[in-house]
């Protein structure tokens, strides 16, 4: 059966990294029994420029009709001064919310060939393989009330609401426990239960589920400040980390740097399975990097790894996912580097050359 993939290239380096990934989609479509059909949609700043909104209805319609979505990145300096509802980020947050993509999987895996590219010592990061499970549709990002108001004395008051229901905590905890069960059977849940009641409840709910259904998974809890410190002190102590939306945003950027570059980290954002249909969006965790956009120097690996995640989680194409990941590993082992992962004095290749090298390797493995 042909799978429909919606490509949302977005802003900045988004179109460049998505283009490299599309080459791989096309390769499998033409050379294997896996068939794909792609379509393009606008989101973010480019959508605002062309349609007057960062999240066009047409994009939502196409997203709903697709089997999976591949997104590049949204945002850029150009749109920063716009009103809140017109900013590119509203497009991304809008699609996450509309499709209820509550489960954000952010694996931070260090390719041994890149262990020296990390700002941390090789022995701290070599062999690292952690999975951050970030709740994506609740918390401070969406909580009401929110806003900025002007007080009587002319000063202003800004406010946001950290909010979770126990049902929301439960469904994301189940995703994390299930993943932990398939991996190292260790789950660390991150909160700030010593100060913030919402997260105290979070801790209670996670504990209850663990005690009830996951006796085989070793559950621990950690305050977020400590977790951020432990991630750079001794990241290999973690297997699966479970966090809310806000803490997960921050911790996953930290985790990405352990792997050498923001340009290496893929992600999957999964919805609930309803009547056999599960919406899912795959994207690199890096942003639109406007400073390097249009120069063909970005690293497409995070986006290509996101495609591997799509093959694995949306389509169950484990073999093809493994081929992509193996090809990337081989390319890195052979010393091929984009600028972000090259060390001083090493030759750097372009974004499109990296795409070609990975494709060449895929062809070799896929005979
Ligand atoms: C991410 C990004 C987004 C977020 C931004 C672009 C809205 O930083 O996916 O981590 O904060 O979730
Ligand atoms: Mg982020």
């Amino acid at each position: 059966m042909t799978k429909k993939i919606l490509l949302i290239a977005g802003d900045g380096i988004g179109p460049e990294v998505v283009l490299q990934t599309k080459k791989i989609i096309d390769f499998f479509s033409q050379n294997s029994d896996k068939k794909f059909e792609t379509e393009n949609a606008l989101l973010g700043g480019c959508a605002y420029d062309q349609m007057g909104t960062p999240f066009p209805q047409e994009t939502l319609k196409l997203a709903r009709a697709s089997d999976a979505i591949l997104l590049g990145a949204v945002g850029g300096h150009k749109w920063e001064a716009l009103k809140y509802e017109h900013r590119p980020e509203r497009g991304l947050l809008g699609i996450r919310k509309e499709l209820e993509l509550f489960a954000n999987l952010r694996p931070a895996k260090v390719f041994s060939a890149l262990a020296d590219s990390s700002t941390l010592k090789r022995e701290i990061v070599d062999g690292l393989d952690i999975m951050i499970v970030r709740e994506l549709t609740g918390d401070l990002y969406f909580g009401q009330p929110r806003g900025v108001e002007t007080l009587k004395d002319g000063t202003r008051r800004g406010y946001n609401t950290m909010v979770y229901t126990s049902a929301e905590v439960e469904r994301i905890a189940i995703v994390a426990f299930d993943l932990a069960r398939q991996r190292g059977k260790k789950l660390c849940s991150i909160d700030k239960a010593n100060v913030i009641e919402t997260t105290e409840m979070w801790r209670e709910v996670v504990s209850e589920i663990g005690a009830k259904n996951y006796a085989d998974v070793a559950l621990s809890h950690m305050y977020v400040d400590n977790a951020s410190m432990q991630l750079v002190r001794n990241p290999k102590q973690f297997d699966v980390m479970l966090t809310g939306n806000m803490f997960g945003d921050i911790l996953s950027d930290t985790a990405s740097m352990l792997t050498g570059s923001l340009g290496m980290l893929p992600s999957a954002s999964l919805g609930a399975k309803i009547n056999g249909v599960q919406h899912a969006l795959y994207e690199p965790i890096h942003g639109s990097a406007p400073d390097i956009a249009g120069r063909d120097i970005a690293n497409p690996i995070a986006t290509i790894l996101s495609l591997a995640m799509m093959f694995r989680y949306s389509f169950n194409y484990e073999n093809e996912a493994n081929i992509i990941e193996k090809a990337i590993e081989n390319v890195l082992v052979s010393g091929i580097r984009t600028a972000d992962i090259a060390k001083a004095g090493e030759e750097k290749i372009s974004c499109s050359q990296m795409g070609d090298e990975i494709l060449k390797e895929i062809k070799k493995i896929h005979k």
Side-chain angles (χ1 to χ4, degrees), residues 174-242:
I174 290 170
V175 172
F177 273 114
D178 284 341
L179 277 166
R181 184 171 267 167
Q182 292 161 26
R183 296 171 44 105
K185 297 195 170 21
K186 250 169 56 180
L187 177 63
C188 183
S189 173
I190 312 300
D191 59 46
K192 189 71 185 173
N194 51 342
V195 179
I196 300 173
E197 289 89 339
T198 307
T199 72
E200 196 181 352
M201 187 269 293
W202 172 287
R203 184 181 284 223
E204 285 162 13
V205 173
V206 174
S207 297
E208 280 161 24
I209 295 170
K212 208 164 71 190
N213 296 326
Y214 296 92
D216 54 325
V217 175
L219 172 67
S220 60
H221 304 272
M222 197 180 277
Y223 298 141
V224 63
D225 48 350
N226 186 21
S228 74
M229 185 269 280
Q230 295 296 339
L231 263 180
V232 288
R233 190 185 77 90
N234 175 21
K236 281 188 257 181
Q237 70 185 283
F238 298 111
D239 177 20
V240 179
M241 297 175 89
L242 166 63

Side-chain angles (χ1 to χ4, degrees), residues 35-68:
K35 302 296 172 204
F36 305 101
E37 202 178 276
T38 60
E39 208 160 343
N40 298 289
L42 293 169
L43 191 80
C46 58
Y48 176 76
D49 287 347
Q50 290 180 48
M51 324 272 294
T53 164
F55 187 21
Q57 274 303 312
E58 175 68 7
T59 298
L60 179 58
K61 222 175 90 194
L62 288 169
R64 285 223 163 93
S66 69
D67 293 309

Side-chain angles (χ1 to χ4, degrees), residues 348-366:
K348 302 165 190 157
I349 64 164
S350 68
C351 178
S352 46
Q353 282 169 323
M354 181 55 102
D356 290 339
E357 291 294 339
I358 293 170
L359 184 58
K360 224 191 308 175
E361 226 18 72
I362 289 175
K363 287 179 183 165
K364 269 195 233 160
I365 305 172
H366 181 76

Side-chain angles (χ1 to χ4, degrees), residues 31 36 47 65 82 85 90 103 117 150 159-160 162 182 184 200 206 208 237 279 281 289 317-318 343 351-352 354:
N31 299 283
F36 305 101
L82 287 176
E85 65 268 26
R90 297 318 304 165
S117 307
T150 303
Y159 52 98
N160 288 86
M162 181 181 268
Q182 292 161 26
E200 196 181 352
V206 174
E208 280 161 24
Q237 70 185 283
H279 291 300
L281 180 149
Y317 295 167
E318 186 66 28
K343 282 181 293 183
C351 178
S352 46
M354 181 55 102

